[in-house]
Amino acid sequence: MKLTGAQALIKSLEHEAVEVMFGLPGGAILPVYDPLIDSSIRHILVRHEQGAGHMAEGYAHATGRPGVAMVTSGPAATNIVTPLCDAYMDSIPIVVITGQVPYANIGTDAFQECDTVGITMPVTKHNWLVTDAQDIPRIVREAFHVATTGRPGPVLVDVPKDIANQQMDWYWPDGVDMPGYKPTTKGHAKQIKDAARLMSQSRRPVIYAGGGILKARAAEVLRELVELTGFPVVTTLMARGSFPDDHELCLGMPGMHGNYTAVTSMQQADLLVALGSRFDDRVTGKVGAFAPEAKIIHVDIDPAELGKVRQPDVPIVGDCRQVIEELVKAVLADKAKHSGDDTQWPSLAEWQTRLRDWQRDFPLVYDQQPDGPLKPQFCVDQLRDHTPDDTIVVAGVGQHQMWTSQRWKFNHPYTFVNSGGLGTMGFAVPAAIGAKVGMPDRMVWAVDGDGCFQMTAQELVTASSERIPVKIAILNNAYLGMVRQWQELFYEERYSEVYLSPDLPDYVMWAEAMGCVGIRVDSPEEVEPAIDKANDIDDRPVVIDFRTDYREKVYPMVPAGHSNDEIILDPAHDTYGER
């Protein structure tokens, strides 16, 4: 069967079971948009290419399936570089297709030409420039394989316009043959045995669960390991929901804005079992002072992560789910071998008592007075308490992101979507749209800041026109809040270029102009009715403008580059600088 390259591309996407893609057409990609009219694939027409990329990310976060975006050449390709980098940092599987100028014109500075493959090479797991239409089915199959296997990540396929118009003989490859790409998924048996032996000797262990748990679909087996060993668990920003917050062994989020118990437990641990985590600087603080007495078991599917920041005592390359399954067997065998003798696993009672004391003495706090200014933490608490337990929550980047991660109770995997590694302001609105497209039966709330919202809010036009009923909570403190917090704490309150204004723009009018329902909330007693009203609306997006207290800061906080021992607590617990 003869097809054009464009027809083969769309047919290949159908063979990969793509149901939806996010994109914006333009000159170089026009041939591919033509057969899309006759395809079963739903296309979501975005208002900016960055939105397409973040929607694909939100879709992938929520569903576990690869998100797909398609844009044209030149500025469209560069506009989607930020989502590619975001997905690369957070290991999110997305497939991006870009148009390119005709092959013979590459290198001539043709209209809307840029070196897309060169520009995106450092922020993609792999990319392809198609030079022959006959290669398209093979390349598409390889692209999805690379994006979704091993350490997941973004890939890009760049399609010159003349190649899209070229005739080819249709085929669909039986499999993928990439001799240089064979991810290791099965952990080494001896290393797993060594890990179990180290675990059997620990008196102050902590499981350090990272985003790799979710990528590997390992939440269930993680719980099995935790309950078998009695080891407490911290869940990083990218792993929230991988272990239920309401479990007695869950310590919550560690890191720069983690709670005191999670941060300090890692510092004082004698063993860290790092599962799919990468010793990010926001978790370790000053690396040389991080968990000084801890031995390290590090499990990751990407061998480049092992020893990159902290040298492990037991490195294990492999898929987290497969390795944990084998670790459970090894622990059971070790416990059975030493049951009743002098070398049996030590009691963790003293360690668990210490952890409970910290939780009692250093909880997360804020003070919402009935007639006082509206606290952002109160808004998050009310959202948490008046939405379904399996609500998908999407956050932007900044103070609101940290309050959401701190205060929400994530008891289900794949319910928290946010930008962890790159820290992309403007992520929340389009990512929430993508998550809702992927999971239409679930309630999706985005918690955003006013600074973040202004970066990508135009995608609510997309949501309205496509009838995608996402709900947006803006914690509007009229500032770039996290920057202001740093200026207050570390720059002697010299507030340089962080004021945004609470009234410009008028968020209610802006929301309504984009086809949404807009609601303004000024006082604590208005919060719950506004949330209830938003929850009842299911035929269009809703935006709530929560006018919050600009003076609130995110505590605890470990100053950048400092040791986690220098954690700053809320003034209700401590005086700044004394701890």
Side-chain angles (χ1 to χ4, degrees), residues 16 138 141-143 145-146 173-179 181-182:
E16 286 291 346
R138 173 183 60 79
R141 181 124 198 208
E142 289 176 355
H145 177 70
V146 171
D174 295 331
V176 173
D177 181 20
M178 302 182 76
Y181 177 72
K182 293 189 183 301

Side-chain angles (χ1 to χ4, degrees), residues 29-232:
I29 199 69
L30 272 180
V32 186
Y33 267 84
D34 186 71
L36 185 60
I37 292 177
D38 302 318
S39 171
S40 60
I41 298 172
R42 178 188 182 189
H43 182 269
I44 308 287
L45 178 61
V46 302
R47 267 53 183 177
H48 189 281
E49 292 87 354
Q50 183 184 356
H54 291 320
M55 287 180 203
E57 285 190 274
Y59 178 92
H61 266 283
T63 66
R65 302 192 297 273
V68 180
M70 186 163 73
V71 300
T72 192
S73 63
T78 57
N79 281 342
I80 209 164
V81 169
T82 295
L84 284 169
C85 190
D86 192 275
Y88 188 73
M89 293 283 280
D90 287 343
S91 305
I92 307 302
I94 64 172
V95 177
V96 171
I97 296 158
T98 49
Q100 184 54 277
V101 301
Y103 191 69
N105 289 358
I106 291 177
T108 68
D109 293 337
F111 178 65
Q112 292 192 333
E113 181 194 357
C114 73
D115 179 7
T116 303
V117 169
I119 290 169
T120 61
M121 189 173 291
V123 294
T124 54
K125 199 173 165 188
H126 194 57
N127 61 19
W128 293 258
L129 172 64
V130 183
T131 58
D132 186 335
Q134 197 62 37
D135 295 336
I136 286 176
R138 173 183 60 79
I139 288 175
V140 170
R141 181 124 198 208
E142 289 176 355
F144 278 80
H145 177 70
V146 171
T148 57
T149 54
R151 181 177 186 166
V155 298
L156 180 140
V157 180
D158 199 27
V159 186
K161 190 171 186 177
D162 57 332
I163 303 297
N165 287 323
Q166 197 177 64
Q167 291 284 308
M168 56 87 67
D169 293 312
W170 169 255
Y171 66 99
W172 183 243
D174 295 331
V176 173
D177 181 20
M178 302 182 76
Y181 177 72
K182 293 189 183 301
T184 300
T185 57
K186 184 179 179 182
H188 192 283
K190 179 180 181 304
Q191 288 165 315
I192 290 172
K193 192 174 178 181
D194 287 347
R197 179 180 50 78
L198 266 190
M199 293 168 74
S200 74
Q201 299 165 356
S202 173
R203 295 179 182 277
R204 300 190 309 279
V206 172
I207 291 178
Y208 166 22
I213 294 288
L214 294 173
K215 307 298 183 302
R217 296 338 230 196
E220 280 189 31
V221 71
L222 171 63
R223 183 168 183 152
E224 187 179 352
L225 178 68
V226 171
E227 295 182 343
L228 173 65
T229 59
F231 285 10

Side-chain angles (χ1 to χ4, degrees), residues 560-572:
H562 287 233
S563 164
N564 285 343
D565 290 325
E566 300 174 74
I567 188 170
I568 302 171
L569 298 176
D570 188 283

Side-chain angles (χ1 to χ4, degrees), residues 299-350:
V299 179
D300 204 288
I301 198 164
D302 184 354
E305 287 295 339
L306 304 182
K308 186 178 79 175
V309 176
R310 176 73 176 259
Q311 196 64 36
D313 296 275
V314 180
I316 303 175
V317 178
D319 173 83
C320 258
R321 184 176 55 77
Q322 293 187 38
V323 171
I324 296 173
E325 286 172 349
E326 293 304 313
L327 200 49
V328 166
K329 295 176 187 172
V331 168
L332 283 170
D334 197 88
K335 279 179 174 281
K337 180 179 176 183
H338 297 292
S339 177
D341 66 23
D342 293 340
T343 59
Q344 65 183 327
W345 287 46
S347 167
L348 302 179
E350 184 180 337

